Amino acid sequence: MTVSRALKTPERVSPEVRARVEEAVRAVGYVPNRLAGSLSSSRSSVIGLVVPSIENSLFASTIQGISDVLRRHGHELMIASSGYGAAAEEAAIRAFLGQRVAGLILHDTTHTPEAVAMIRRAGIPVVENGTLTRQPLDMVVSYSNHDAAKAMTQHLLRLGYRRIGFVTLPLAANERSRDRRRGYEAALEEAGLPYDPRLVLEVPPGLAAGVEALYRLLEGGGEPDAIFFAGDVLAIGAALECTRRGWKVPEKVAIAAFDNIDLLGHLVPPVTTLRLPRQEIGRRSAEVLLDRIQGRATGPLAIDLRFEIIHRAST
Amino acid sequence: MTVSRALKTPERVSPEVRARVEEAVRAVGYVPNRLAGSLSSSRSSVIGLVVPSIENSLFASTIQGISDVLRRHGHELMIASSGYGAAAEEAAIRAFLGQRVAGLILHDTTHTPEAVAMIRRAGIPVVENGTLTRQPLDMVVSYSNHDAAKAMTQHLLRLGYRRIGFVTLPLAANERSRDRRRGYEAALEEAGLPYDPRLVLEVPPGLAAGVEALYRLLEGGGEPDAIFFAGDVLAIGAALECTRRGWKVPEKVAIAAFDNIDLLGHLVPPVTTLRLPRQEIGRRSAEVLLDRIQGRATGPLAIDLRFEIIHRAST
DNA sequence: TTGTAGGCGTTATCAA
DNA sequence: TTGATAACGCCTACAA
């Protein structure tokens, strides 16, 4: 007990005892067993994070933000990827709850009923990250995918484009993509423009898909004057393909992207895009989670971290 | 005890008891406490991973590979980033050992003496990932940065380039970069070419650094006919800058990169590079670690996963 | 096949 | 300020 105190609350132990303990710790290379500590105190310093994919650099920024904050506060981070499936997410959540994590951060905002029930029973705080969902489990830290897509579409409209193509990642089981799509439609509607299905495309992720989308839209009869690639690296693939073909952007077709990937600013021409607070989402998520864990806050919470349009020469 | 058995070794319990337990588990939403399990059995299912940076997409591939294998085997993954510093790595390792992880995967191959001592005392298996180091702590799964850089340099020599520039990331405290640099030098030496300091540059990571390196080498008096960017996205920055300036590659200067970033193949012209088994490194690391944890293997081990040159139009 | 006893390494609590 | 005792929830070992 005295050792425990000397290590956790050194001020509550005599200097002499403290010194002896420190010496002994050094001598034997003692590393306290936090499993036992957690079991005894029913407090854990581990946070569980479930992202659709670790490999995706956008999520990676968020993870880095989370990791930085947790490290500073002496917490550990457990990660699992759900591969974009709610069942895998449920499995990950179950595993984390088995490890008695102190809190969860989930990127997806759609969960299996069982996953929700487990989290409720565990009674631990949760942050959702993917989009400013209307039905949060608990806390949300994100930006509005709907508003971001709408703002970019309006930006294009303001620039005079009238036949705006929209390329999205798969809409199924992903509230983020659906939000973006609805934002696009909302902007058109407010502008009194018709929705033309020949201008809308759903494609898998990846550079190659961006290239393919470019051709399909240009040759699909919709005659787009601009294309808004609402996902990942799609716009990069398309922009590079224009370079390859010697097509002038935005004269041939304007191109807009959805994320502040460094590279977009280095392309020729640099590509208009949205700045999304990826790292900030991670940092704030970790912070609000720790606030709750440490009893500094209670109750639901929704933090809108906003976005920003970066206007460049491609539009 | 019967419940424990029903859950872990259902075949050793009567069907009737099994059914009753399953029913009860469902009814109360019971999630076994793995902390208590680990404490009692002194076995853990958690693996600790320390990478220099989570945000870097190259490490992200490796992490994904690790995560996939661990998930399939019912193990969890704890992550920390060392920010490229051995002291931060040591702190992460200490935290992981406190959590009684079953094994460690470290990307860096240089560690503080204290970190090494702690790992030794803990007696858990370790895999190092960054390069085929000669003095592994325990197991290594990687490729040879030295050989890869040498091979690419020789490739350029074979193509007839004689004044080959070399751009590296910071050499301090990073065996990988030093290995690459030595590989470059070895190739020159074997070819009987002099080492010209005007052709070698050390820069920070990032697209912009690649652009800057391009100019500094072209204007530095070394008159390179090819530049080998031995790190990350440096080559992308340089290649895009050539596009922007309308410089022909490889006529103006040939460009070679060091990693199989998808994008390199989509640039104009596509950029020659090395294919490195990033994901495979992650998968194999997890596999050999599990082999040891589950007692299927013992002793040191070095797995060389090789690399491959992807010759494209930029050289 | 089922159950009992004891202990894993901490921390909460209370007593000295 | 220090120490004794009893959990925490599971698993090992052994007994019924």
Side-chain angles (χ1 to χ4, degrees):
Chain A
M1 197 52 233
T2 300
V3 171
S4 179
R5 259 193 297 257
L7 262 28
K8 307 214 100 176
T9 50
E11 72 282 3
R12 296 179 46 179
V13 112
S14 73
E16 189 245 346
V17 167
R18 196 184 314 156
R20 266 202 303 151
V21 169
E22 282 167 4
E23 172 51 28
V25 162
R26 220 183 340 268
V28 304
Y30 172 69
V31 179
N33 186 332
R34 317 236 22 232
L35 298 184
S38 294
L39 180 61
S40 175
S41 66
S42 44
R43 270 192 299 273
S44 154
S45 60
V46 179
I47 301 298
L49 167 69
V50 187
V51 286
S53 155
I54 296 168
E55 212 155 1
N56 187 315
S57 68
L58 304 176
F59 302 141
S61 296
T62 304
I63 301 174
Q64 185 74 63
I66 294 169
S67 168
D68 289 346
V69 171
L70 293 185
R71 182 176 41 70
R72 277 205 298 280
H73 291 81
H75 283 248
E76 285 80 39
L77 177 62
M78 239 177 223
I79 294 199
S81 62
S82 63
Y84 299 88
E89 189 198 57
E90 180 188 317
I93 290 171
R94 176 173 284 113
F96 286 162
L97 294 181
Q99 300 287 344
R100 295 300 186 267
V101 296
L104 284 172
I105 302 178
L106 308 175
H107 193 90
D108 277 324
T109 49
T110 53
H111 319 284
T112 66
E114 177 60 15
V116 175
M118 283 192 298
I119 292 172
R120 291 270 145 75
R121 274 192 302 261
I124 57 174
V126 181
V127 180
E128 289 166 284
N129 264 344
T131 192
L132 274 188
T133 178
R134 292 185 201 296
Q135 313 256 320
L137 276 173
D138 183 6
M139 300 182 279
V140 203
V141 176
S142 191
Y143 63 93
S144 167
N145 279 277
H146 173 278
D147 293 357
K150 183 173 170 187
M152 179 59 90
T153 307
Q154 289 176 325
H155 175 77
L156 294 170
L157 289 168
R158 215 173 302 123
L159 292 170
Y161 300 104
R162 280 297 170 273
R163 303 203 48 77
I164 301 171
F166 184 79
V167 184
T168 173
L169 296 177
L171 297 169
N174 181 335
E175 195 179 357
R176 303 182 288 287
S177 297
R178 290 195 298 270
D179 274 357
R180 295 178 191 180
R181 157 81 166 266
R182 288 206 314 269
Y184 163 75
E185 291 175 10
L188 291 188
E189 195 177 319
E190 283 186 17
L193 288 176
Y195 173 87
D196 184 342
R198 292 172 305 178
L199 286 173
V200 176
L201 222 52
E202 189 177 332
V203 300
L207 285 174
V211 177
E212 195 202 323
L214 174 70
Y215 284 111
R216 282 177 58 195
L217 281 187
L218 289 178
E219 296 163 1
E223 307 206 331
D225 50 12
I227 302 179
F228 177 18
F229 291 87
D232 276 56
V233 296
L234 298 172
I236 298 175
L240 288 172
E241 183 65 14
C242 289
T243 303
R244 200 174 303 123
R245 298 288 293 253
W247 291 341
K248 291 264 191 225
V249 173
E251 289 79 1
K252 168 88 175 178
V253 65
I255 290 180
F258 199 89
D259 236 301
N260 48 325
I261 300 173
D262 230 18
L263 184 69
L264 289 166
H266 288 254
L267 295 176
V268 186
V271 176
T272 294
T273 191
L274 286 156
R275 172 173 295 128
L276 304 177
R278 297 286 181 191
Q279 257 218 273
E280 183 71 7
I281 288 174
R283 283 195 298 267
R284 294 300 298 275
S285 294
E287 284 165 7
V288 299
L289 207 52
L290 292 177
D291 281 348
R292 280 276 284 276
I293 290 168
Q294 296 166 3
R296 283 194 303 274
T298 53
L301 180 70
I303 297 183
D304 181 352
L305 290 177
R306 309 304 299 161
F307 53 85
E308 190 187 330
I309 288 178
I310 308 176
H311 183 203
R312 299 203 181 103
S314 72
T315 57
Chain B
M1 197 52 233
T2 300
V3 171
S4 178
R5 261 192 296 256
L7 261 27
K8 306 216 102 174
T9 51
E11 71 282 2
R12 297 180 46 181
V13 111
S14 73
E16 189 244 346
V17 167
R18 193 184 315 155
R20 266 203 302 153
V21 169
E22 283 167 3
E23 173 52 26
V25 163
R26 219 180 344 264
V28 303
Y30 173 69
V31 179
N33 185 333
R34 313 267 278 121
L35 298 184
S38 294
L39 180 60
S40 173
S41 66
S42 44
R43 270 191 298 273
S44 153
S45 60
V46 179
I47 301 299
L49 167 68
V50 188
V51 287
S53 153
I54 296 167
E55 214 156 358
N56 187 315
S57 69
L58 305 176
F59 302 140
S61 295
T62 304
I63 301 174
Q64 184 76 63
I66 293 169
S67 167
D68 288 347
V69 170
L70 292 185
R71 183 176 39 71
R72 279 205 298 279
H73 291 80
H75 284 247
E76 285 81 40
L77 177 62
M78 239 177 224
I79 294 198
S81 61
S82 63
Y84 299 89
E89 190 199 55
E90 181 187 314
I93 291 171
R94 176 173 285 113
F96 286 164
L97 294 181
Q99 300 287 344
R100 294 300 186 268
V101 297
L104 284 171
I105 303 178
L106 308 175
H107 193 90
D108 276 325
T109 48
T110 53
H111 319 285
T112 66
E114 176 61 15
V116 175
M118 283 193 297
I119 292 172
R120 291 268 144 76
R121 274 193 300 262
I124 58 174
V126 182
V127 180
E128 288 167 284
N129 264 344
T131 192
L132 274 188
T133 178
R134 293 184 201 296
Q135 312 257 322
L137 276 173
D138 182 6
M139 301 183 279
V140 203
V141 177
S142 192
Y143 63 93
S144 166
N145 279 277
H146 174 277
D147 293 358
K150 184 174 170 186
M152 178 58 89
T153 309
Q154 290 175 325
H155 175 77
L156 294 170
L157 290 168
R158 215 174 301 122
L159 292 171
Y161 300 104
R162 280 297 169 273
R163 305 203 48 78
I164 301 172
F166 183 79
V167 183
T168 173
L169 295 177
L171 297 169
N174 181 336
E175 196 179 358
R176 303 183 288 286
S177 297
R178 291 194 296 270
D179 274 356
R180 294 178 192 179
R181 156 81 167 264
R182 289 206 315 268
Y184 162 77
E185 291 175 10
L188 291 187
E189 194 177 321
E190 282 187 19
L193 288 176
Y195 173 87
D196 184 342
R198 291 172 306 177
L199 286 172
V200 176
L201 223 52
E202 190 177 332
V203 301
L207 286 174
V211 177
E212 194 202 324
L214 174 69
Y215 284 111
R216 281 177 58 194
L217 280 187
L218 288 178
E219 297 163 0
E223 306 206 333
D225 50 12
I227 303 178
F228 177 18
F229 292 86
D232 276 57
V233 296
L234 298 173
I236 297 175
L240 287 172
E241 183 64 14
C242 289
T243 302
R244 199 173 304 125
R245 298 289 293 251
W247 290 341
K248 291 264 190 227
V249 173
E251 289 80 0
K252 167 89 175 177
V253 65
I255 290 180
F258 199 88
D259 236 301
N260 48 326
I261 300 174
D262 230 18
L263 183 69
L264 289 165
H266 288 255
L267 295 177
V268 187
V271 175
T272 294
T273 191
L274 286 156
R275 172 172 295 129
L276 303 177
R278 296 285 180 191
Q279 257 219 272
E280 182 72 6
I281 288 174
R283 283 195 298 266
R284 294 301 299 275
S285 295
E287 283 165 8
V288 299
L289 207 51
L290 292 177
D291 281 348
R292 280 276 283 276
I293 289 168
Q294 295 165 3
R296 283 194 303 274
T298 53
L301 179 71
I303 297 182
D304 183 352
L305 290 177
R306 308 303 300 162
F307 54 84
E308 189 186 332
I309 287 177
I310 309 175
H311 182 201
R312 299 204 181 103
S314 72
T315 57

